[in-house]
Amino acid sequence: MTVVSVEHAVALPFATRHLADLGARVVKVERLGSGDFARAYDTAVRGAMSAHFAWLNRSKQSLAIDLKAPEGRAVVHRLVGRADVVAQNLAPGAAARLGLDAATLVAAHPRLVAVDLSGYGAHGPYAHRRAYDMLVQAESALISATGTDEHPAKAGFAAGDVSAGTYVVQAVLAALLRRERSGAGAALEITMIDALAEWMGYSVQTVEHTGVEPPRLGIGHPSIAPYEAFATIDGDRLLIGVQNDREWVRLATSVLDRPEAATAPDFATNQARVRNRARTEALVAAAVATLTTAEAEARLAAAGIAYARLNTARDLLDHPQLAARNRWASVDSPVGPVRQLRPVVLFPGEEASLGPLPALGAHTDAILAELGYPAREIARLRTNGVV
Protein backbone atom coordinates (compact mmCIF):
# COMPACT_ATOMS: atom_id res chain seq x y z
CA MET A 1 0.00 0.00 0.00
CA THR A 2 1.22 3.50 -0.83
CA VAL A 3 0.24 6.33 1.50
CA VAL A 4 0.75 9.95 0.42
CA SER A 5 0.57 12.28 3.39
CA VAL A 6 0.66 16.07 3.24
CA GLU A 7 1.48 16.37 6.89
CA HIS A 8 3.15 18.31 9.65
CA ALA A 9 3.31 18.51 13.44
CA VAL A 10 2.07 15.47 15.41
CA ALA A 11 -1.41 14.08 14.74
CA LEU A 12 -1.11 12.92 11.13
CA PRO A 13 2.60 11.99 11.31
CA PHE A 14 1.68 9.82 14.32
CA ALA A 15 -0.92 8.01 12.20
CA THR A 16 1.22 7.54 9.11
CA ARG A 17 4.20 6.31 11.12
CA HIS A 18 2.00 3.53 12.44
CA LEU A 19 0.92 2.70 8.89
CA ALA A 20 4.61 2.62 7.94
CA ASP A 21 5.28 0.33 10.90
CA LEU A 22 2.69 -2.04 9.43
CA GLY A 23 4.55 -2.06 6.12
CA ALA A 24 2.95 0.72 4.09
CA ARG A 25 5.10 2.87 1.85
CA VAL A 26 4.57 6.39 3.22
CA VAL A 27 5.52 9.41 1.12
CA LYS A 28 5.72 12.45 3.38
CA VAL A 29 5.03 15.62 1.39
CA GLU A 30 6.90 18.50 3.03
CA ARG A 31 7.19 22.23 2.59
CA LEU A 32 10.08 23.26 0.39
CA GLY A 33 13.02 24.68 2.36
CA SER A 34 11.87 24.12 5.94
CA GLY A 35 9.85 20.92 5.74
CA ASP A 36 7.59 19.70 8.50
CA PHE A 37 7.86 22.42 11.13
CA ALA A 38 8.15 19.70 13.78
CA ARG A 39 11.70 19.22 12.48
CA ALA A 40 12.58 22.48 14.25
CA TYR A 41 10.69 22.09 17.54
CA ASP A 42 13.99 21.46 19.35
CA THR A 43 17.39 19.83 18.93
CA ALA A 44 16.99 17.20 21.66
CA VAL A 45 18.10 14.22 19.55
CA ARG A 46 21.90 14.27 19.32
CA GLY A 47 21.79 18.05 19.43
CA ALA A 48 20.48 18.22 15.89
CA MET A 49 16.99 16.72 15.52
CA SER A 50 13.63 17.38 17.13
CA ALA A 51 12.41 14.70 19.54
CA HIS A 52 8.93 14.92 18.04
CA PHE A 53 10.25 14.42 14.51
CA ALA A 54 12.39 11.47 15.57
CA TRP A 55 9.40 9.87 17.30
CA LEU A 56 6.97 10.25 14.40
CA ASN A 57 8.75 9.85 11.08
CA ARG A 58 10.74 6.65 10.75
CA SER A 59 10.35 4.53 7.62
CA LYS A 60 8.99 7.43 5.55
CA GLN A 61 10.11 8.92 2.24
CA SER A 62 10.43 12.71 2.12
CA LEU A 63 9.26 14.69 -0.93
CA ALA A 64 10.09 18.40 -0.56
CA ILE A 65 7.93 20.46 -2.91
CA ASP A 66 6.23 23.84 -3.36
CA LEU A 67 2.50 23.13 -3.38
CA LYS A 68 1.73 26.74 -4.24
CA ALA A 69 3.43 26.29 -7.61
CA PRO A 70 1.22 24.72 -10.33
CA GLU A 71 4.02 22.35 -11.28
CA GLY A 72 4.40 21.30 -7.67
CA ARG A 73 0.70 20.54 -7.35
CA ALA A 74 0.88 18.59 -10.62
CA VAL A 75 3.60 16.36 -9.16
CA VAL A 76 1.55 15.60 -6.08
CA HIS A 77 -1.63 14.95 -8.06
CA ARG A 78 0.30 12.54 -10.28
CA LEU A 79 1.55 10.80 -7.14
CA VAL A 80 -1.99 10.68 -5.75
CA GLY A 81 -3.08 8.81 -8.87
CA ARG A 82 -0.81 5.94 -7.86
CA ALA A 83 -1.68 5.95 -4.16
CA ASP A 84 -3.96 3.76 -2.08
CA VAL A 85 -4.32 6.30 0.73
CA VAL A 86 -3.96 10.09 0.80
CA ALA A 87 -4.15 12.11 4.00
CA GLN A 88 -3.65 15.75 4.93
CA ASN A 89 -3.71 17.95 8.03
CA LEU A 90 -3.12 21.36 6.47
CA ALA A 91 -4.55 24.56 7.94
CA PRO A 92 -8.33 25.00 7.61
CA GLY A 93 -9.32 25.49 3.97
CA ALA A 94 -5.82 24.99 2.54
CA ALA A 95 -6.35 21.47 1.20
CA ALA A 96 -9.53 22.45 -0.64
CA ARG A 97 -7.72 25.35 -2.31
CA LEU A 98 -5.05 22.91 -3.51
CA GLY A 99 -7.56 20.29 -4.65
CA LEU A 100 -6.23 17.90 -2.00
CA ASP A 101 -9.27 17.59 0.23
CA ALA A 102 -10.69 14.10 0.63
CA ALA A 103 -13.98 14.68 -1.21
CA THR A 104 -12.27 16.14 -4.29
CA LEU A 105 -9.68 13.37 -4.43
CA VAL A 106 -12.16 10.50 -4.08
CA ALA A 107 -14.43 12.06 -6.72
CA ALA A 108 -11.45 11.88 -9.09
CA HIS A 109 -10.17 8.50 -7.85
CA PRO A 110 -13.12 6.39 -6.64
CA ARG A 111 -10.97 3.61 -5.15
CA LEU A 112 -8.88 6.02 -3.10
CA VAL A 113 -9.04 6.17 0.68
CA ALA A 114 -8.62 9.84 1.57
CA VAL A 115 -8.51 11.42 5.01
CA ASP A 116 -8.92 15.01 6.13
CA LEU A 117 -7.57 15.41 9.67
CA SER A 118 -8.28 18.66 11.47
CA GLY A 119 -9.00 20.13 14.85
CA TYR A 120 -12.69 20.83 14.46
CA GLY A 121 -13.82 19.68 11.01
CA ALA A 122 -14.75 21.47 7.80
CA HIS A 123 -18.14 22.75 8.98
CA GLY A 124 -19.57 24.50 12.02
CA PRO A 125 -18.61 27.63 13.96
CA TYR A 126 -15.13 26.33 14.82
CA ALA A 127 -14.21 25.15 11.31
CA HIS A 128 -11.68 27.90 10.65
CA ARG A 129 -10.06 27.91 14.08
CA ARG A 130 -6.48 26.81 14.45
CA ALA A 131 -6.36 23.74 16.64
CA TYR A 132 -3.18 23.17 18.57
CA ASP A 133 -3.23 20.21 20.92
CA MET A 134 -3.50 22.25 24.13
CA LEU A 135 -6.42 24.25 22.71
CA VAL A 136 -8.39 21.15 21.77
CA GLN A 137 -7.65 19.63 25.18
CA ALA A 138 -9.29 22.74 26.64
CA GLU A 139 -12.31 22.74 24.31
CA SER A 140 -12.94 19.02 24.83
CA ALA A 141 -12.95 19.39 28.65
CA LEU A 142 -9.87 17.21 29.14
CA ILE A 143 -8.06 20.03 30.94
CA SER A 144 -11.07 20.55 33.21
CA ALA A 145 -10.77 16.91 34.30
CA THR A 146 -6.98 16.80 34.72
CA GLY A 147 -4.83 18.17 37.52
CA THR A 148 -5.83 19.05 41.06
CA ASP A 149 -8.76 20.94 42.52
CA GLU A 150 -6.68 24.12 42.62
CA HIS A 151 -4.76 23.68 39.38
CA PRO A 152 -6.26 22.27 36.17
CA ALA A 153 -3.62 20.86 33.83
CA LYS A 154 -3.31 19.62 30.29
CA ALA A 155 -2.24 16.02 29.76
CA GLY A 156 1.53 15.55 29.84
CA PHE A 157 1.58 14.40 26.22
CA ALA A 158 -0.20 15.49 23.02
CA ALA A 159 -3.45 13.73 23.86
CA GLY A 160 -5.51 15.47 21.18
CA ASP A 161 -2.99 14.67 18.48
CA VAL A 162 -2.44 11.07 19.57
CA SER A 163 -6.14 10.30 19.96
CA ALA A 164 -6.98 11.71 16.53
CA GLY A 165 -4.00 9.96 14.93
CA THR A 166 -5.09 6.67 16.44
CA TYR A 167 -8.53 7.03 14.86
CA VAL A 168 -6.93 7.85 11.50
CA VAL A 169 -5.08 4.52 11.59
CA GLN A 170 -8.28 2.71 12.53
CA ALA A 171 -10.26 4.49 9.82
CA VAL A 172 -7.69 3.79 7.09
CA LEU A 173 -7.44 0.09 7.92
CA ALA A 174 -11.24 -0.25 8.02
CA ALA A 175 -11.61 1.65 4.74
CA LEU A 176 -9.02 -0.52 3.01
CA LEU A 177 -10.82 -3.66 4.20
CA ARG A 178 -14.10 -2.17 2.98
CA ARG A 179 -12.51 -1.41 -0.39
CA GLU A 180 -11.30 -5.01 -0.71
CA ARG A 181 -14.91 -6.15 -0.35
CA SER A 182 -16.79 -3.46 -2.24
CA GLY A 183 -14.22 -1.82 -4.53
CA ALA A 184 -15.21 1.60 -3.19
CA GLY A 185 -12.83 4.10 -1.68
CA ALA A 186 -13.84 6.57 1.02
CA ALA A 187 -13.54 10.25 1.86
CA LEU A 188 -13.10 10.40 5.63
CA GLU A 189 -13.00 13.26 8.09
CA ILE A 190 -11.34 12.79 11.49
CA THR A 191 -11.18 15.60 14.03
CA MET A 192 -9.25 16.06 17.23
CA ILE A 193 -12.28 17.33 19.12
CA ASP A 194 -14.33 14.25 18.15
CA ALA A 195 -11.51 11.95 19.25
CA LEU A 196 -10.99 13.60 22.62
CA ALA A 197 -14.73 13.99 23.21
CA GLU A 198 -14.98 10.21 22.78
CA TRP A 199 -12.15 9.71 25.26
CA MET A 200 -14.00 11.94 27.74
CA GLY A 201 -16.95 9.54 27.74
CA TYR A 202 -16.83 8.74 31.47
CA SER A 203 -17.07 12.41 32.45
CA VAL A 204 -19.74 13.09 29.82
CA GLN A 205 -21.92 10.24 31.07
CA THR A 206 -21.48 11.33 34.67
CA VAL A 207 -22.51 14.93 33.99
CA GLU A 208 -25.35 13.90 31.66
CA HIS A 209 -26.99 11.75 34.31
CA THR A 210 -26.04 13.44 37.59
CA GLY A 211 -25.38 17.06 36.65
CA VAL A 212 -22.19 16.88 38.70
CA GLU A 213 -18.75 17.50 37.21
CA PRO A 214 -16.24 14.82 38.32
CA PRO A 215 -13.68 16.45 40.63
CA ARG A 216 -10.03 16.87 39.66
CA LEU A 217 -8.10 14.56 41.95
CA GLY A 218 -4.60 14.46 40.50
CA ILE A 219 -3.67 10.79 40.44
CA GLY A 220 -6.85 9.85 42.28
CA HIS A 221 -10.07 8.49 40.80
CA PRO A 222 -13.44 10.15 41.46
CA SER A 223 -15.25 6.82 41.84
CA ILE A 224 -12.63 4.63 43.55
CA ALA A 225 -10.72 4.81 46.83
CA PRO A 226 -7.96 4.18 47.60
CA TYR A 227 -6.52 5.01 44.17
CA GLU A 228 -3.51 7.18 44.84
CA ALA A 229 0.30 7.28 45.09
CA PHE A 230 1.76 6.69 48.54
CA ALA A 231 5.36 7.31 49.66
CA THR A 232 7.45 4.53 51.18
CA ILE A 233 10.16 5.08 53.77
CA ASP A 234 12.66 5.10 50.88
CA GLY A 235 10.90 8.07 49.27
CA ASP A 236 9.56 6.07 46.32
CA ARG A 237 5.90 6.52 45.44
CA LEU A 238 3.73 3.49 44.83
CA LEU A 239 0.35 3.88 43.21
CA ILE A 240 -2.13 1.55 44.89
CA GLY A 241 -5.52 0.83 43.37
CA VAL A 242 -8.34 -1.09 45.04
CA GLN A 243 -11.12 -2.03 42.61
CA ASN A 244 -13.51 -3.86 44.94
CA ASP A 245 -14.25 -4.53 48.58
CA ARG A 246 -12.61 -7.97 48.61
CA GLU A 247 -9.34 -6.29 47.67
CA TRP A 248 -9.84 -3.73 50.42
CA VAL A 249 -10.10 -6.52 52.99
CA ARG A 250 -6.82 -8.00 51.76
CA LEU A 251 -5.13 -4.59 51.72
CA ALA A 252 -6.27 -3.70 55.22
CA THR A 253 -5.36 -7.04 56.78
CA SER A 254 -2.25 -8.17 54.86
CA VAL A 255 -0.57 -4.92 53.81
CA LEU A 256 -1.64 -2.20 56.25
CA ASP A 257 -1.86 -4.38 59.40
CA ARG A 258 -5.19 -2.72 60.14
CA PRO A 259 -7.68 -5.62 60.12
CA GLU A 260 -10.29 -3.55 61.94
CA ALA A 261 -10.47 -1.22 58.92
CA ALA A 262 -11.58 -4.12 56.72
CA THR A 263 -15.05 -4.13 58.24
CA ALA A 264 -15.36 -0.64 59.75
CA PRO A 265 -18.50 1.07 58.36
CA ASP A 266 -16.49 4.09 57.18
CA PHE A 267 -14.21 1.91 55.02
CA ALA A 268 -15.90 -1.44 54.32
CA THR A 269 -17.46 -0.46 50.97
CA ASN A 270 -16.06 1.52 48.08
CA GLN A 271 -18.82 4.10 48.37
CA ALA A 272 -17.97 4.58 52.02
CA ARG A 273 -14.27 4.93 51.20
CA VAL A 274 -15.05 7.51 48.52
CA ARG A 275 -17.17 9.49 50.99
CA ASN A 276 -14.28 9.28 53.46
CA ARG A 277 -11.54 9.65 50.85
CA ALA A 278 -9.22 11.81 52.97
CA ARG A 279 -9.37 9.42 55.94
CA THR A 280 -8.97 6.36 53.68
CA GLU A 281 -5.90 7.79 51.99
CA ALA A 282 -4.44 8.91 55.31
CA LEU A 283 -4.82 5.39 56.69
CA VAL A 284 -3.03 3.85 53.71
CA ALA A 285 -0.35 6.55 53.65
CA ALA A 286 0.49 6.09 57.32
CA ALA A 287 1.05 2.36 56.88
CA VAL A 288 3.01 2.54 53.63
CA ALA A 289 5.27 5.24 55.09
CA THR A 290 6.60 2.70 57.60
CA LEU A 291 7.66 0.24 54.89
CA THR A 292 10.58 0.15 52.53
CA THR A 293 9.72 -0.03 48.85
CA ALA A 294 10.75 -3.68 48.73
CA GLU A 295 8.62 -4.52 51.78
CA ALA A 296 5.59 -2.68 50.42
CA GLU A 297 5.87 -4.32 47.00
CA ALA A 298 6.26 -7.76 48.55
CA ARG A 299 3.18 -7.32 50.72
CA LEU A 300 1.10 -5.92 47.87
CA ALA A 301 2.11 -8.73 45.53
CA ALA A 302 1.40 -11.41 48.12
CA ALA A 303 -2.02 -9.91 48.82
CA GLY A 304 -2.88 -9.63 45.12
CA ILE A 305 -3.28 -5.85 45.23
CA ALA A 306 -2.67 -3.84 42.08
CA TYR A 307 0.24 -1.42 42.37
CA ALA A 308 2.79 0.40 40.25
CA ARG A 309 5.80 2.62 40.73
CA LEU A 310 5.35 6.26 39.81
CA ASN A 311 8.06 6.30 37.15
CA THR A 312 9.77 9.11 35.30
CA ALA A 313 10.64 9.13 31.59
CA ARG A 314 14.17 8.10 32.60
CA ASP A 315 12.73 5.15 34.49
CA LEU A 316 10.75 4.17 31.39
CA LEU A 317 13.92 4.07 29.31
CA ASP A 318 15.31 1.51 31.73
CA HIS A 319 12.05 -0.32 32.45
CA PRO A 320 12.76 -4.01 33.06
CA GLN A 321 9.53 -5.16 31.37
CA LEU A 322 10.37 -3.33 28.14
CA ALA A 323 13.87 -4.80 28.23
CA ALA A 324 12.60 -8.32 28.88
CA ARG A 325 10.22 -8.11 25.93
CA ASN A 326 12.91 -6.75 23.59
CA ARG A 327 10.93 -3.59 22.92
CA TRP A 328 13.87 -1.37 21.96
CA ALA A 329 15.45 -1.09 18.51
CA SER A 330 17.92 1.20 16.73
CA VAL A 331 16.74 3.34 13.80
CA ASP A 332 19.07 5.16 11.43
CA SER A 333 18.72 8.91 10.91
CA PRO A 334 20.64 11.81 9.35
CA VAL A 335 22.11 12.50 12.81
CA GLY A 336 23.08 8.90 13.60
CA PRO A 337 21.40 5.88 15.22
CA VAL A 338 18.36 6.64 17.38
CA ARG A 339 16.96 4.25 20.00
CA GLN A 340 13.21 3.78 19.57
CA LEU A 341 10.45 1.46 20.65
CA ARG A 342 9.40 -1.28 18.28
CA PRO A 343 5.85 -1.08 16.84
CA VAL A 344 3.05 -1.83 19.26
CA VAL A 345 1.55 -4.32 16.79
CA LEU A 346 3.92 -7.11 15.75
CA PHE A 347 3.04 -10.13 13.62
CA PRO A 348 4.62 -13.45 14.66
CA GLY A 349 7.32 -14.57 12.27
CA GLU A 350 7.57 -11.19 10.52
CA GLU A 351 10.17 -8.50 11.04
CA ALA A 352 8.88 -5.04 11.87
CA SER A 353 9.46 -2.31 9.32
CA LEU A 354 11.95 0.07 10.95
CA GLY A 355 13.33 2.26 8.20
CA PRO A 356 15.43 5.38 8.76
CA LEU A 357 14.25 8.87 9.55
CA PRO A 358 14.37 10.86 6.32
CA ALA A 359 16.38 13.99 5.63
CA LEU A 360 14.25 16.73 4.09
CA GLY A 361 13.70 15.93 0.43
CA ALA A 362 15.87 12.83 0.56
CA HIS A 363 13.57 10.94 -1.84
CA THR A 364 12.45 13.77 -4.11
CA ASP A 365 14.49 12.81 -7.17
CA ALA A 366 13.66 9.11 -6.88
CA ILE A 367 9.93 9.80 -6.57
CA LEU A 368 9.96 12.17 -9.55
CA ALA A 369 11.82 9.61 -11.64
CA GLU A 370 9.29 6.96 -10.62
CA LEU A 371 6.51 9.28 -11.81
CA GLY A 372 8.16 9.51 -15.23
CA TYR A 373 9.99 12.82 -14.96
CA PRO A 374 13.25 12.68 -16.95
CA ALA A 375 16.50 13.85 -15.34
CA ARG A 376 16.53 17.15 -17.24
CA GLU A 377 12.98 17.94 -16.09
CA ILE A 378 13.87 17.12 -12.48
CA ALA A 379 16.88 19.44 -12.77
CA ARG A 380 14.63 22.20 -14.17
CA LEU A 381 12.11 21.82 -11.35
CA ARG A 382 14.93 22.04 -8.85
CA THR A 383 16.44 25.10 -10.54
CA ASN A 384 13.03 26.80 -10.57
CA GLY A 385 12.53 26.17 -6.86
CA VAL A 386 9.59 23.80 -7.28
CA VAL A 387 11.31 20.87 -5.57
Side-chain angles (χ1 to χ4, degrees):
M1 295 290 177
T2 294
V3 177
V4 176
S5 188
V6 186
E7 64 180 28
H8 55 232
V10 177
L12 189 52
F14 179 85
T16 57
R17 197 219 79 194
H18 281 77
L19 295 174
D21 285 348
L22 290 170
R25 177 197 182 192
V26 176
V27 178
K28 181 183 181 74
V29 179
E30 299 193 68
R31 183 190 300 270
L32 193 67
S34 58
D36 180 347
F37 54 73
R39 287 180 178 270
Y41 277 166
D42 54 58
T43 57
V45 179
R46 295 180 173 269
M49 178 181 286
S50 155
H52 275 89
F53 189 85
W55 168 38
L56 299 169
N57 290 285
R58 69 186 179 209
S59 303
K60 299 180 184 180
Q61 297 178 338
S62 173
L63 170 67
I65 197 162
D66 182 2
L67 285 175
K68 294 181 180 179
E71 289 181 304
R73 291 196 297 277
V75 169
V76 173
H77 280 285
R78 190 183 296 192
L79 185 59
V80 166
R82 300 186 175 201
D84 297 283
V85 178
V86 178
Q88 62 83 22
N89 68 334
L90 298 175
R97 292 192 295 272
L98 296 170
L100 292 173
D101 60 290
T104 298
L105 293 178
V106 174
H109 307 281
R111 283 182 54 83
L112 186 68
V113 173
V115 179
D116 294 333
L117 174 59
S118 64
Y120 300 109
H123 306 288
Y126 283 39
H128 296 289
R129 286 199 184 192
R130 290 191 174 270
Y132 302 134
D133 177 80
M134 176 182 68
L135 308 180
V136 182
Q137 286 195 37
E139 290 285 351
S140 65
L142 176 58
I143 288 178
S144 77
T146 307
T148 65
D149 187 41
E150 299 82 9
H151 300 289
K154 70 179 183 66
F157 70 105
D161 290 319
V162 168
S163 61
T166 299
Y167 284 112
V168 170
V169 177
Q170 174 181 303
V172 166
L173 297 178
L176 289 172
L177 177 60
R178 175 177 176 264
R179 187 181 76 176
E180 289 299 307
R181 294 180 171 179
S182 70
L188 304 171
E189 181 180 67
I190 308 295
T191 73
M192 293 165 66
I193 194 168
D194 289 351
L196 273 189
E198 165 64 25
W199 283 17
M200 290 297 296
Y202 162 75
S203 296
V204 168
Q205 289 294 306
T206 299
V207 174
E208 171 77 11
H209 296 288
T210 70
V212 178
E213 291 275 352
R216 289 189 300 272
L217 296 170
I219 296 172
H221 193 290
S223 302
I224 302 172
Y227 198 100
E228 183 57 85
F230 302 96
T232 68
I233 199 170
D234 302 326
D236 295 321
R237 298 181 72 193
L238 296 179
L239 198 149
I240 299 173
V242 170
Q243 292 283 318
N244 56 60
D245 298 335
R246 297 183 304 279
E247 290 182 0
W248 169 253
V249 172
R250 298 201 301 271
L251 179 72
T253 56
S254 301
V255 179
L256 308 181
D257 286 333
R258 292 290 302 275
E260 75 282 1
T263 56
D266 288 348
F267 305 115
T269 67
N270 182 64
Q271 292 185 359
R273 292 191 297 276
V274 170
R275 286 196 303 270
N276 297 285
R277 181 185 303 276
R279 290 174 59 205
T280 301
E281 292 176 353
L283 187 155
V284 178
V288 173
T290 67
L291 304 173
T292 67
T293 302
E295 290 170 339
E297 289 185 333
R299 289 192 185 189
L300 290 163
I305 303 299
Y307 71 94
R309 293 198 183 199
L310 192 59
N311 282 336
T312 64
R314 167 55 61 188
D315 296 326
L316 185 61
L317 282 168
D318 301 323
H319 201 290
Q321 187 67 8
L322 296 179
R325 297 183 62 244
N326 192 29
R327 293 294 300 144
W328 295 105
S330 180
V331 173
D332 290 334
S333 82
V335 300
V338 178
R339 182 161 72 122
Q340 294 194 341
L341 285 165
R342 297 183 189 278
V344 172
V345 178
L346 295 170
F347 288 85
E350 296 185 22
E351 289 295 322
S353 175
L354 294 173
L357 292 154
L360 177 60
H363 304 87
T364 298
D365 286 4
I367 291 169
L368 291 173
E370 177 188 329
L371 293 174
Y373 287 84
R376 64 182 181 280
E377 181 67 5
I378 295 173
R380 187 186 67 80
L381 291 173
R382 190 175 295 280
T383 300
N384 292 344
V386 177
V387 299

